[in-house]
Amino acid sequence: MALEGVRALVFDVFGTVVDWRGGLVREAEAFLARHLGSGAQAQAFADAWYRTYPTAIGEVRRGERPFTRLDALLREYLDRILPDFGLDPAKMSAEELDDLSFAWRRLPPWPDSVAGLERLKRGYVIAPVSNANIALMLEMSKRGRLPWDAILGAEIAQAYKTSPECYLRNVETLGLRPEQVCLVAAHNMDLAAARGCGLKTAYVLRPQEFGEAPRPIPPDQDWELVADDFADLAQKLGL
Amino acid sequence: MALEGVRALVFDVFGTVVDWRGGLVREAEAFLARHLGSGAQAQAFADAWYRTYPTAIGEVRRGERPFTRLDALLREYLDRILPDFGLDPAKMSAEELDDLSFAWRRLPPWPDSVAGLERLKRGYVIAPVSNANIALMLEMSKRGRLPWDAILGAEIAQAYKTSPECYLRNVETLGLRPEQVCLVAAHNMDLAAARGCGLKTAYVLRPQEFGEAPRPIPPDQDWELVADDFADLAQKLGL
């Protein structure tokens, strides 16, 4: 068995469980159409907003600001990108911007995510270890019917990935040792950081993460498992 | 509607969702029979252990010791009660005592808990706000099939009930205001503390909590709802 001794599977979420780009583009289209008369820039808008996310958490990771929930960071960075699209946040209703920012809470699962998690749940404790805060994950999971056993993540650790504290404090919260936990992610960097903390690793290919044209990113280490999607992962784990 | 505006139901667990006494007595019987040749003192043992629990968390609440997970407190207080039953923990295997201490992770749900929670989950976010730590709740919930949306509680708040911080930090983690959250509990004291923080309250009668002979404890305030069990609570909420 590739994951001998593993008791819990913890999941990256943005890109691995849900389609952040598809979800943001859809909501940005409606928003931009309302304000600019056209949603043509929705993809650029989604990508610009997503690119601010490592910047925002980087400030926390480097200790330049105290731990701040992702909901608040995303809202703050939304205000910063609006001017690049000719929009002035000061002239828009806070309610509408809050709602747009909650697009992250409404990101849709990949087609195989829910059924795959249901299968994986039969054999393992399953929980997100995402940079998303608990309220964000909770609304996303309730809407998308993601059947987590618990919602873990950066907020539990008060530290963002890829800081070692984030992985290690979540493992400790599970009452397990690092080698009893496997991170499932579509990103080599996340898996490398988890492996550095002693966790097992499973790479799931999500070739459509950055757009509709598939762009597979190959595994760059010998992760314990490599799977095409969650159904394939469950199959490889005998579930 | 009794709970107009409420989005999340948070639950006390020991006594409200699971039968702590029935579970502890059953495991204590086997343990005592092994060591004393008889399980006759199992009820006294379960009650003695349970009575140490407010003492242990009281030390944290009063700031006499740093926040310590409940798993560790229960294990520590197990050592302290064993001599009262003629047993010396220093002469027993740590593995066996660890396992006995995990009896708390194996407490059985009341017969109506799982089906009731499934119904309540259709209308509300449901999560425990117990003094139990996340790993304890996770194992209990996985074994007992308790279908939580998330596992919250004292560990999230780093404060034990009935400290206001415990209720308020969990409400904040949910991204809600206190009046959007209702505590469901079988204990007047817990509900009174939650009400003091602005939460709504639902009292569930658990007349068998302290033994098989029913001993109903009447509500001592006009809680927003009073229910016979979780099925009755779901019914009263139109679910």
Side-chain angles (χ1 to χ4, degrees):
Chain A
M1 249 274 284
L3 298 184
E4 186 82 43
V6 164
R7 303 272 303 277
L9 303 178
V10 297
F11 293 75
D12 172 61
V13 172
F14 299 132
T16 301
V17 178
V18 299
D19 175 13
W20 61 264
R21 194 171 189 273
L24 294 186
V25 167
R26 195 180 53 200
E27 299 219 21
E29 260 170 7
F31 173 83
L32 296 175
R34 261 199 314 279
H35 291 281
L36 300 173
S38 155
Q41 290 188 86
Q43 297 196 358
F45 187 91
D47 291 336
W49 199 4
Y50 184 78
R51 276 196 302 271
T52 66
Y53 152 69
T55 308
I57 65 170
E59 293 171 6
V60 174
R61 277 215 306 261
R62 290 187 302 272
E64 294 163 18
R65 62 189 294 180
F67 184 82
T68 307
R69 292 194 181 100
L70 194 67
D71 263 342
L73 295 176
L74 294 169
R75 178 68 183 80
E76 187 180 314
Y77 276 80
L78 171 59
D79 275 4
R80 299 204 199 177
I81 60 159
L82 285 167
D84 297 339
F85 294 84
L87 295 165
D88 179 356
K91 292 186 183 152
M92 309 181 92
S93 90
E95 198 175 45
E96 187 184 6
L97 295 178
D98 289 349
D99 181 66
L100 178 61
S101 195
F102 279 0
W104 291 78
R105 294 185 171 199
R106 296 184 288 261
L107 297 177
W110 294 111
D112 56 279
S113 290
V114 175
L117 289 173
E118 292 284 4
R119 283 171 69 184
L120 295 166
K121 186 175 182 168
R122 289 181 216 143
Y124 299 90
V125 165
I126 60 166
V129 170
S130 163
N131 282 333
N133 54 300
I134 293 173
L136 191 167
M137 274 308 309
L138 194 48
E139 185 165 337
M140 177 200 285
S141 304
K142 195 89 175 161
R143 295 174 65 94
R145 310 186 80 80
L146 302 171
W148 306 117
D149 289 308
I151 293 182
L152 304 178
E155 187 173 2
I156 296 279
Q158 296 283 296
Y160 280 114
K161 298 193 290 183
T162 51
S163 303
E165 293 76 16
C166 185
Y167 306 96
L168 293 172
R169 288 180 193 154
N170 277 286
V171 165
E172 199 197 340
T173 299
L174 285 164
L176 297 173
R177 295 186 305 277
E179 68 272 20
Q180 295 178 302
V181 180
C182 177
L183 177 70
V184 180
H187 309 118
N188 286 301
M189 196 172 62
D190 198 358
L191 295 174
R195 175 173 275 185
C197 295
L199 283 76
K200 301 285 173 64
T201 51
Y203 185 83
V204 177
L205 292 159
R206 292 296 190 196
Q208 294 182 308
E209 177 177 0
F210 297 97
E212 279 159 39
R215 191 173 65 121
I217 299 170
D220 69 5
Q221 291 191 38
D222 60 331
W223 311 120
E224 277 78 10
L225 278 173
V226 176
D228 291 328
D229 56 24
F230 286 2
D232 186 38
L233 180 62
Q235 169 87 14
K236 286 180 167 147
L237 291 169
L239 292 166
Chain B
M1 249 274 284
L3 298 184
E4 184 82 41
V6 164
R7 302 271 304 275
L9 303 179
V10 298
F11 293 76
D12 173 60
V13 172
F14 299 132
T16 301
V17 178
V18 299
D19 175 13
W20 63 263
R21 193 170 188 275
L24 293 186
V25 167
R26 195 180 55 199
E27 299 219 22
E29 260 170 6
F31 173 82
L32 295 174
R34 259 197 317 279
H35 290 282
L36 300 173
S38 155
Q41 289 188 87
Q43 297 196 357
F45 187 91
D47 291 337
W49 200 3
Y50 184 78
R51 277 195 303 271
T52 66
Y53 153 69
T55 309
I57 64 170
E59 293 170 6
V60 174
R61 276 214 307 259
R62 290 187 303 273
E64 294 162 19
R65 63 188 295 179
F67 184 82
T68 307
R69 292 194 181 100
L70 193 68
D71 264 341
L73 295 176
L74 294 169
R75 177 68 184 80
E76 187 181 314
Y77 276 80
L78 171 60
D79 275 4
R80 299 203 199 179
I81 60 159
L82 285 167
D84 297 339
F85 295 84
L87 295 165
D88 179 356
K91 292 185 182 153
M92 309 181 92
S93 90
E95 198 174 44
E96 188 185 5
L97 294 179
D98 289 349
D99 181 66
L100 178 61
S101 197
F102 279 181
W104 291 78
R105 294 184 170 199
R106 296 184 288 261
L107 297 178
W110 295 110
D112 55 279
S113 292
V114 175
L117 289 174
E118 292 284 4
R119 283 170 68 182
L120 294 166
K121 187 176 182 168
R122 287 180 218 145
Y124 298 90
V125 165
I126 59 166
V129 169
S130 163
N131 282 333
N133 54 300
I134 293 173
L136 190 168
M137 274 309 308
L138 194 48
E139 185 164 337
M140 176 200 284
S141 304
K142 194 90 175 163
R143 295 174 65 95
R145 310 185 79 81
L146 301 171
W148 306 117
D149 288 309
I151 294 182
L152 304 178
E155 187 173 2
I156 296 277
Q158 297 283 297
Y160 280 114
K161 297 193 292 183
T162 50
S163 305
E165 292 77 16
C166 185
Y167 305 97
L168 293 172
R169 287 181 194 155
N170 276 286
V171 166
E172 199 196 341
T173 299
L174 284 164
L176 296 174
R177 296 186 304 275
E179 68 273 19
Q180 294 178 302
V181 180
C182 175
L183 178 70
V184 179
H187 310 118
N188 286 302
M189 195 171 63
D190 199 359
L191 294 174
R195 176 174 276 185
C197 294
L199 282 76
K200 300 286 174 64
T201 52
Y203 185 82
V204 176
L205 292 159
R206 291 297 189 197
Q208 294 182 310
E209 177 177 359
F210 298 96
E212 279 160 38
R215 192 174 63 121
I217 299 170
D220 69 7
Q221 290 190 39
D222 60 332
W223 310 122
E224 277 79 11
L225 277 173
V226 176
D228 292 328
D229 56 23
F230 286 1
D232 185 38
L233 180 61
Q235 169 88 16
K236 285 178 167 147
L237 291 169
L239 292 167

